[in-house]
């Protein structure tokens, strides 16, 4: 039976920082169960914080805080030290280092990172763009794209588009199908913005089989036939060569890794 750890996350804003850390940490412990049902955003009063900490003590929980308010953070730290509560403050140790280095103190305003600034609206606009120009729906969008992803079916074009859109890039993508002519507008797209995605045929066949399984569909089609997939890959490679696209092999890469490589490629163009 797997061991379970109860996690309390407490924030005076949304608490997204602690969730990201927790996701990174839990991935390293596949044999443990991390129970993070106890999430407390927008905690701004000492009385409320004390009640949460007392409950955490009863549950023998690990407490993770992202409290920018120094008074609240100090209260959580002192309570935890006095009662032997496992406690991790994600912000103030770093604040203290910065103060030692520069003499500057934080402004202690919760939720600053989530303010509706220009960057936020640009991100929303980029996501809407990615949805609008997904899967070759409207090739005209290629001309306004920061990135145009090309690849055969199931080479992660759509999830990669959305991931990059969350970083502010306007991304469109086009599925490469040998039987369907390429849109003529592709000839007008800046070659430096074209990214070709490729995957080993055997791996691609498994991905497609899994996709059909999830949809409850039969595998008796050329969609999962390895020989047909080889032909599709050869066709895509010919397209990449014709349009001088920058090619990335997706076979053993995550979306995050591929996005990083694309960003590095774009930086090299500037």
């Amino acid at each position: 039976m797997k061991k379970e750890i109860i996690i309390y996350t407490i924030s005076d804003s949304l608490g997204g920082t602690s969730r990201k850390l927790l996701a990174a940490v839990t991935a390293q412990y596949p044999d443990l169960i991390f129970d993070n049902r106890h999430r407390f955003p927008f905690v701004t009063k000492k009385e409320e914080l004390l009640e949460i900490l007392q409950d955490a003590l009863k549950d023998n929980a690990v407490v993770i805080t992202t409290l920018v308010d120094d008074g609240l953070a100090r209260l959580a730290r002192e309570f935890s030290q006095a009662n032997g509560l496992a406690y991790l403050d994600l912000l103030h140790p770093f604040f203290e280092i910065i103060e030692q280095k520069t003499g500057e103190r934080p402004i202690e305003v919760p939720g600053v990172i989530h303010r509706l600034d220009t960057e936020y609206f640009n991100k929303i606009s980029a996501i809407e763009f990615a949805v609008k120009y997904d899967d070759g729906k409207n090739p005209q969008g290629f001309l306004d794209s920061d990135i145009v992803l090309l690849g055969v079916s199931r080479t992660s074009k759509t999830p990669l588009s959305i991931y990059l859109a969350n970083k502010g890039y306007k991304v469109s993508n086009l599925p490469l199908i040998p039987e369907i002519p390429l849109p003529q507008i592709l000839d007008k797209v800046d070659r430096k913005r074209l990214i070709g995605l490729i995957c080993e045929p055997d791996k691609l066949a498994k991905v497609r089989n899994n996709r059909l399984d999830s949809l409850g569909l039969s595998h008796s089609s050329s969609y999962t036939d390895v020989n047909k997939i080889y032909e599709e890959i050869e066709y895509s490679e010919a397209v990449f060569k014709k349009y001088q696209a920058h090619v990335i092999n997706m076979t053993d890469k995550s979306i995050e890794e591929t996005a990083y490589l694309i960003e590095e490629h774009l930086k090299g163009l500037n």
Side-chain angles (χ1 to χ4, degrees):
M1 185 175 179
K2 291 186 177 181
K3 294 180 180 178
E4 182 180 80
I5 298 178
I6 298 175
I7 307 290
Y8 276 49
T9 52
I10 308 172
S11 175
D12 41 20
S13 183
L14 293 172
T17 302
S18 57
R19 288 198 297 274
K20 289 178 181 178
L21 171 73
L22 194 56
V25 170
T26 56
Q28 300 300 318
Y29 294 92
D31 295 327
L32 295 178
I33 296 174
F34 290 82
D35 178 358
N36 186 215
R37 289 174 293 175
H38 305 280
R39 301 175 183 176
F40 303 94
F42 305 112
V43 176
T44 57
K45 293 182 171 55
K46 293 183 178 181
E47 297 79 7
E48 181 183 9
L49 177 58
L50 277 174
E51 287 182 10
I52 295 170
L53 293 172
Q54 286 164 357
D55 288 340
L57 189 60
K58 293 175 185 176
D59 287 335
N60 192 29
V62 174
V63 174
I64 302 174
T65 66
T66 50
L67 297 163
V68 298
D69 183 273
D70 185 61
L72 292 176
R74 188 184 308 112
L75 174 62
R77 181 172 61 252
E78 292 174 352
F79 179 94
S80 300
Q81 291 173 346
N83 294 278
L85 180 64
Y87 170 71
L88 177 62
D89 180 346
L90 293 184
L91 298 183
H92 284 267
F94 197 12
F95 289 167
E96 291 169 5
I97 291 173
I98 294 174
E99 184 175 0
Q100 290 170 6
K101 291 281 187 181
T102 67
E104 297 289 332
R105 289 192 51 77
I107 59 176
E108 295 187 16
V109 177
V112 174
I113 195 172
H114 301 294
R115 283 180 175 171
L116 301 184
D117 55 12
T118 301
E119 182 180 352
Y120 173 83
F121 286 110
N122 286 342
K123 183 185 297 185
I124 296 301
S125 177
I127 293 172
E128 292 175 346
F129 186 95
V131 172
K132 182 177 181 179
Y133 297 111
D134 180 45
D135 209 29
K137 291 175 186 173
N138 185 353
Q140 189 66 36
F142 295 165
L143 297 179
D144 298 320
S145 302
D146 298 318
I147 303 165
V148 179
L149 302 176
L150 308 173
V152 301
S153 176
R154 311 315 298 175
T155 48
S156 300
K157 297 183 298 299
T158 296
L160 186 55
S161 294
I162 298 300
Y163 183 86
L164 287 165
N166 272 281
K167 297 171 78 67
Y169 294 99
K170 293 188 294 183
V171 188
S172 55
N173 68 78
L174 176 69
L176 299 180
I177 305 171
E179 296 79 13
I180 299 179
L182 295 169
Q184 293 182 353
I185 202 167
L186 201 58
D187 295 322
K188 301 179 181 180
V189 178
D190 182 355
R191 302 293 193 256
K192 297 175 182 178
R193 305 299 170 184
L194 295 174
I195 303 294
L197 302 177
I198 202 164
C199 182
E200 296 300 325
D202 291 339
K203 175 68 177 295
L204 192 55
K206 291 180 181 179
V207 172
R208 290 184 177 184
N209 275 313
N210 290 338
R211 175 60 174 168
L212 292 181
D213 285 340
S214 69
L215 297 174
L217 300 176
S218 169
H219 292 197
S220 57
S221 70
S222 60
Y223 184 66
T224 56
D225 180 79
V226 175
N227 292 327
K228 180 67 167 59
I229 292 175
Y230 269 100
E231 294 176 6
E232 289 184 48
I233 295 296
E234 288 178 1
Y235 169 71
S236 69
E237 289 176 331
V239 172
F240 300 156
K241 184 176 180 180
K242 175 182 177 180
Y243 291 97
Q244 301 171 11
H246 179 70
V247 181
I248 297 176
N249 191 323
M250 289 283 296
T251 304
D252 296 312
K253 293 183 179 64
S254 65
I255 296 298
E256 293 83 359
E257 289 174 306
T258 307
Y260 171 79
L261 292 175
I262 290 173
E263 288 190 280
E264 289 299 299
H265 167 69
L266 294 178
K267 288 177 185 177
L269 303 179
N270 299 327

